Amino acid sequence: MFRRKLSDWSDLDTSSLVELEREGEEILGESPGAAPNGGSGYYGEEDDYDEDPIYIPCTEFYKPQHSGNFFKDGKTLIDFVLVWEEKVSSKKHKTQSSSKGSEKRGQQGRARGKTTYENYRRRYHRNLLKAGLLCEKEQTLSERRSLHYLKLSAPWEVLVYYAEELCLRAPLQAQPNPDNNASDRFLQRLYLPNPLYHHVPNKPLDYYTCAFRKSKLQRFLGSECQATYFTNTQRSRILYEILSRTLYGKRKHAEVGIERMVKEGIYTAAFPLHEGPYELPEYEVAPESLNPRQILYQYWSRWSLWYKYQPLDHIREYFGEKVAIYFAWLGFYTAWLLPAAVIGTCVFISGVLTMGSNTAAQEICESGKKYQMCPLCDTCKNWYISEICPMAKVGYLFDHPGTVFFSIFMSFWAVTFLEYWKRKNATLAHHWDCMDFQEDEERPRPEFAAMAPQMEQNPITGVKEPYFPERDRLSRIVTGSMVIVIMLCVVMIFLVSVIMYRGIVSMMMYHTGNSILMTQAGNIANISSSMVNLVLILLMSQVYTALAEKLTRWEMHRTQSLHEDAFTFKVFIFQFVNFYSSPFYVAFFKGRFVGYPGEYGKLMGMRNEDCGPGGCLIELAQQLFIIMVGKQIVSNVQEFLVPKVKSWRQRRQLAKVRGTQILEEPQRWEEDYELIECEGLFEEYLEMGE
């Protein structure tokens, strides 16, 4: 058995990764489950589909009233849960359907798909056992569906092995961890109360750390207590690494990893468990006795605490560094937006107060029928400049001396914000021991390891790893760049289409003969075209993001960091052109190629469009307002309304499955299965950058 071999190997000094490659088969067996160092181990071509080899450790009598993040023995901690659903067909339904040929063939097709998924799961479960994990299975039955929960736990030997391989940080010595807020220190010097501060109990300790080494285990702080040495975040990371490396089918088809299995519907969910409920108990308890989830809910994720300091150390301990650094950046960015918002509001108010002193607008409004203007289109009539009096007054709000000052201020603000964030980021990285991370030491991605055509020695670690030739990757990157250029050309085509749409709508408004429509033709065309442009932007964003993800996978980047960097670059380039091409055109090109009476510039038989009566700045403000506000409305609907609807449907479906068990207290894995899956932070960063 793998567990026995792993325990035998645990007495060896594993600081040499070269020995790891040679002893890979002894350590992990010829296991398709986990190839050492992203190696070439994978599942063979066996066709044996026996029952699930689920190991259930049970050293004590099962207590039905027990609940928590443990196996039935009450000791083995649950690190990860896999869930899949199966439909239960009744005998009556089978009898009725057997008399119809087409329905019978459809049932046979579904049965083959179901059998394939069952075979994949059996292989995957067997490989997880070979990787050394402990498994326990739970099942919830109803008349139509059954829910299966596979609880996974990593024993000490597996945790130690992967902690060294993933270069996890291990504590050497505890040190003080005081609060470090510049505004708090500033107010203390002035002897003023700080309304932003509030005490959060159970603040995590700070440690001097280094990379984990099994040979130096006794030197690490807390190593004598195996049950609590690794944090839940570290255990979840190790389990996710194993699940991502484990194959469930053929290696040449890259049938590897839990993410692909969830996407293909083999599993419906895969998640680590929360540490208890987030609701506070009905009776009064000391704040120090709350679990980490309750502390975060009570002292952080409530609307009434929006102005308080964020407990970043608590967030980092519970969710990890990536989530914590996002919320640190979000809070820093929001705080720095405050002075920009105050200055912008003051500039706008000053424009409103001085609107009456705009000499140019006064002359336009008082001109009457003194100045006659040329037609705005080939079939339009002449018009008087006094007709644009309202737009001339409104245009002053966006084009007065205060806006020049605000532009200069924002330039300095952007540079200062970036430099201070670099400082804040470096401080947090040092505080959380993330500064000495080297990409060359990062493990290869599981999908890369499965699809790489050859093996090469890593110059840093000295271990043979999957390798993809740089020349082939470069050719794929160039090909992907051509696809990006084509997509950018599509954006330009849509931009020209929106410009033509504005011209057509303006001509239609002028030909109605209605004085109101004729006066507001430019505004109607600009606002409606901005809405059309917003719809095109959102559609193209969805299409291109999916395309960029496929192109990035096809480029075969070695590590997850390189993969994310390449994907981010592609999406950033496209989103920048997609969102800002139309405002950029209005700000710098619109009205520059109109021509003059008798020699007007034309595009595809239509006169080139000119700025509206109030100037191009009003149109630019309208476009930016519609695009930015519209994008925020759509994002808020997706982030608030859609998850609530999904959560309601999920709870309703699970209530039907649980049936008569609805009155019983649900287990932790059942409650967490009702939650909506987190889709990562990429979209959050992208939204804030827009």
Side-chain angles (χ1 to χ4, degrees):
M1 290 293 291
F2 169 76
R3 292 185 62 218
R4 180 181 58 81
K5 289 185 179 181
L6 185 58
S7 60
D8 294 340
W9 169 77
S10 62
D11 295 330
L12 299 176
D13 182 5
T14 60
S15 59
S16 173
L17 294 180
V18 178
E19 289 293 320
L20 179 62
E21 176 65 19
R22 192 183 67 225
E23 302 293 339
E25 293 184 0
E26 178 184 356
I27 297 170
L28 297 176
E30 296 179 354
S31 168
N37 302 300
S40 58
Y42 61 93
Y43 190 78
E45 302 297 330
E46 300 94 351
D47 292 327
D48 50 323
Y49 301 117
D50 53 352
E51 294 296 327
D52 292 1
I54 306 302
Y55 172 71
I56 304 179
C58 187
T59 58
E60 295 182 359
F61 182 76
Y62 171 61
K63 301 178 181 179
Q65 70 273 16
H66 174 76
S67 63
N69 298 5
F70 297 95
F71 280 15
K72 293 179 179 179
D73 60 1
K75 297 180 179 180
T76 306
L77 185 64
I78 300 174
D79 298 316
F80 231 87
V81 177
L82 307 182
V83 186
W84 69 95
E85 301 180 8
E86 292 180 349
K87 291 185 177 180
V88 179
S89 56
S90 60
K91 295 182 179 180
K92 179 179 179 181
H93 182 70
K94 290 181 179 180
T95 305
Q96 293 177 352
S97 300
S98 61
S99 60
K100 300 180 181 180
S102 59
E103 294 184 3
K104 186 175 182 180
R105 287 192 296 270
Q107 283 187 347
Q108 291 176 351
R110 289 191 294 270
R112 285 194 297 269
K114 181 179 179 181
T115 303
T116 302
Y117 283 1
E118 289 178 353
N119 294 335
Y120 281 151
R121 284 193 292 266
R122 288 173 180 172
R123 290 185 179 186
Y124 195 67
H125 296 169
R126 184 163 54 248
N127 295 341
L128 292 178
L129 290 176
K130 291 181 180 179
L133 299 185
L134 305 179
C135 307
E136 185 178 76
K137 194 175 180 181
E138 297 277 352
Q139 187 175 3
T140 303
L141 291 174
S142 68
E143 295 181 356
R144 296 185 178 182
R145 287 198 305 171
S146 63
L147 278 175
H148 301 266
Y149 301 92
L150 183 64
K151 298 174 286 185
L152 304 176
S153 179
W156 173 252
E157 295 84 359
V158 175
L159 293 173
V160 169
Y161 169 72
Y162 279 97
E164 182 171 0
E165 187 172 355
L166 297 176
C167 296
L168 297 183
R169 308 296 297 185
L172 292 171
Q173 181 180 350
Q175 61 174 338
N177 187 17
D179 295 323
N180 186 18
N181 292 300
S183 58
D184 185 47
R185 295 195 303 269
F186 177 75
L187 293 175
Q188 286 181 359
R189 292 173 184 174
L190 299 178
Y191 299 98
L192 295 176
N194 187 2
L196 305 179
Y197 176 81
H198 68 143
H199 174 70
V200 182
N202 299 342
K203 185 174 183 178
L205 295 176
D206 193 15
Y207 299 98
Y208 294 107
T209 66
C210 68
F212 180 85
R213 290 291 181 268
K214 181 183 178 183
S215 59
K216 311 296 183 183
L217 181 61
Q218 300 302 324
R219 298 179 180 269
F220 294 123
L221 194 64
S223 59
E224 65 279 356
C225 185
Q226 298 181 1
T228 59
Y229 179 73
F230 292 103
T231 65
N232 289 336
T233 305
Q234 291 175 329
R235 297 176 69 100
S236 299
R237 180 184 174 187
I238 291 174
L239 262 292
Y240 184 77
E241 181 71 18
I242 297 174
L243 295 174
S244 298
R245 293 185 183 190
T246 304
L247 285 101
Y248 63 91
K250 296 182 179 180
R251 179 176 181 268
K252 63 181 180 180
H253 295 158
E255 294 176 338
V256 58
I258 188 62
E259 286 191 8
R260 180 169 177 177
M261 299 184 76
V262 172
K263 289 181 180 179
E264 294 180 354
I266 302 174
Y267 291 104
T268 56
F271 52 87
L273 295 180
H274 280 291
E275 300 182 29
Y278 69 89
E279 304 96 341
L280 295 180
E282 297 180 356
Y283 52 89
E284 185 176 356
V285 296
E288 290 74 14
S289 62
L290 300 176
N291 66 48
R293 192 182 182 192
Q294 291 172 331
I295 290 177
L296 288 176
Y297 177 75
Q298 183 71 13
Y299 295 93
W300 176 52
S301 60
R302 299 171 64 186
W303 289 105
S304 59
L305 302 175
W306 63 271
Y307 62 96
K308 298 291 187 180
Y309 293 133
Q310 296 188 96
L312 296 178
D313 287 332
H314 293 76
I315 300 171
R316 178 236 182 178
E317 184 183 42
Y318 194 77
F319 293 106
E321 286 80 5
K322 281 189 176 182
V323 176
I325 203 70
Y326 165 74
F327 283 105
W329 177 82
L330 183 62
F332 188 84
Y333 180 56
T334 305
W336 271 71
L337 283 177
L338 182 61
V342 171
I343 297 297
T345 303
C346 293
V347 169
F348 182 80
I349 294 175
S350 67
V352 174
L353 297 177
T354 60
M355 186 182 297
S357 63
N358 185 11
T359 305
Q362 290 178 356
E363 292 179 353
I364 290 175
C365 295
E366 296 172 358
S367 62
K369 296 185 178 181
K370 184 177 179 180
Y371 300 105
Q372 193 176 36
M373 308 300 292
C374 295
L376 296 177
C377 63
D378 294 336
T379 58
C380 298
K381 299 179 181 180
N382 294 338
W383 55 285
Y384 297 98
I385 194 172
S386 59
E387 296 177 5
I388 67 169
C389 175
M391 298 305 299
K393 291 182 178 180
V394 175
Y396 178 78
L397 296 176
F398 305 97
D399 188 11
H400 63 91
T403 59
V404 179
F405 164 76
F406 185 67
S407 300
I408 298 174
F409 168 80
M410 288 304 298
S411 300
F412 285 101
W413 178 91
V415 175
T416 308
F417 165 76
L418 181 60
E419 294 304 318
Y420 271 86
W421 166 246
K422 289 180 181 178
R423 180 180 178 181
K424 178 70 172 180
N425 185 43
T427 303
L428 291 175
H430 179 268
H431 178 54
W432 293 337
D433 294 319
C434 302
M435 292 195 68
D436 56 349
F437 175 77
Q438 299 292 332
E439 290 187 358
D440 292 333
E441 298 178 359
E442 189 176 356
R443 308 305 312 153
R445 294 186 306 115
E447 189 174 358
F448 174 85
M451 297 294 291
Q454 61 192 67
M455 302 285 292
E456 292 287 343
Q457 189 174 19
N458 188 313
I460 304 298
T461 62
V463 180
K464 283 189 175 181
E465 292 182 350
Y467 177 76
F468 190 81
E470 290 294 332
R471 185 175 181 180
D472 295 344
R473 180 181 293 111
L474 181 61
S475 64
R476 294 190 178 190
I477 292 176
V478 172
T479 304
S481 301
M482 296 299 102
V483 176
I484 296 175
V485 172
I486 293 174
M487 294 299 297
L488 295 180
C489 292
V490 173
V491 173
M492 294 296 104
I493 292 174
F494 283 145
L495 175 60
V496 174
S497 302
V498 172
I499 294 173
M500 297 181 65
Y501 168 84
R502 273 201 296 264
I504 294 173
V505 172
S506 297
M507 292 178 60
M508 293 175 59
M509 295 296 103
Y510 283 123
H511 290 157
T512 57
N514 189 306
S515 59
I516 298 178
L517 294 179
M518 292 175 63
T519 305
Q520 301 297 327
N523 288 332
I524 295 174
N526 188 53
I527 294 175
S528 61
S529 65
S530 299
M531 293 182 177
V532 172
N533 190 31
L534 174 63
V535 174
L536 294 176
I537 285 173
L538 296 177
L539 292 178
M540 290 296 295
S541 297
Q542 296 294 326
V543 173
Y544 182 78
T545 301
L547 178 61
E549 187 175 358
K550 292 183 178 180
L551 286 175
T552 307
R553 287 202 304 265
W554 181 61
E555 291 172 1
M556 290 288 290
H557 295 281
R558 173 182 171 272
T559 64
Q560 187 65 28
S561 297
L562 294 175
H563 179 86
E564 292 176 354
D565 291 343
F567 177 67
T568 302
F569 177 77
K570 291 182 180 64
V571 175
F572 173 79
I573 292 295
F574 179 81
Q575 294 286 47
F576 179 80
V577 177
N578 190 30
F579 271 86
Y580 298 109
S581 58
S582 181
F584 191 84
Y585 161 76
V586 173
F588 297 102
F589 293 100
K590 187 175 181 180
R592 302 294 191 273
F593 311 101
V594 179
Y596 53 89
E599 290 293 335
Y600 287 111
K602 294 187 178 181
L603 175 64
M604 301 179 66
M606 297 179 59
R607 185 191 298 184
N608 292 337
E609 60 177 355
D610 195 0
C611 294
C616 284
L617 285 180
I618 290 184
E619 297 184 18
L620 179 62
Q622 289 174 344
Q623 281 211 7
L624 289 175
F625 179 82
I626 292 174
I627 292 175
M628 300 305 170
V629 175
K631 179 65 169 59
Q632 290 299 317
I633 292 175
V634 174
S635 299
N636 288 332
V637 170
Q638 292 176 343
E639 293 175 2
F640 290 97
L641 185 59
V642 174
K644 287 186 177 296
V645 173
K646 288 183 178 179
S647 179
W648 173 77
R649 290 183 58 188
Q650 182 85 334
R651 289 194 300 267
R652 184 180 178 186
Q653 292 176 359
L654 291 179
K656 292 181 179 179
V657 174
R658 293 179 61 193
T660 57
Q661 304 176 11
I662 195 66
L663 298 178
E664 301 178 4
E665 182 180 357
Q667 300 290 342
R668 170 53 46 199
W669 49 87
E670 293 178 327
E671 291 184 345
D672 288 358
Y673 183 53
E674 295 179 358
L675 302 177
I676 302 301
E677 180 184 3
C678 176
E679 298 179 355
L681 297 173
F682 181 79
E683 291 295 333
E684 303 295 332
Y685 277 117
L686 189 63
E687 178 184 351
M688 297 302 297
E690 293 168 356

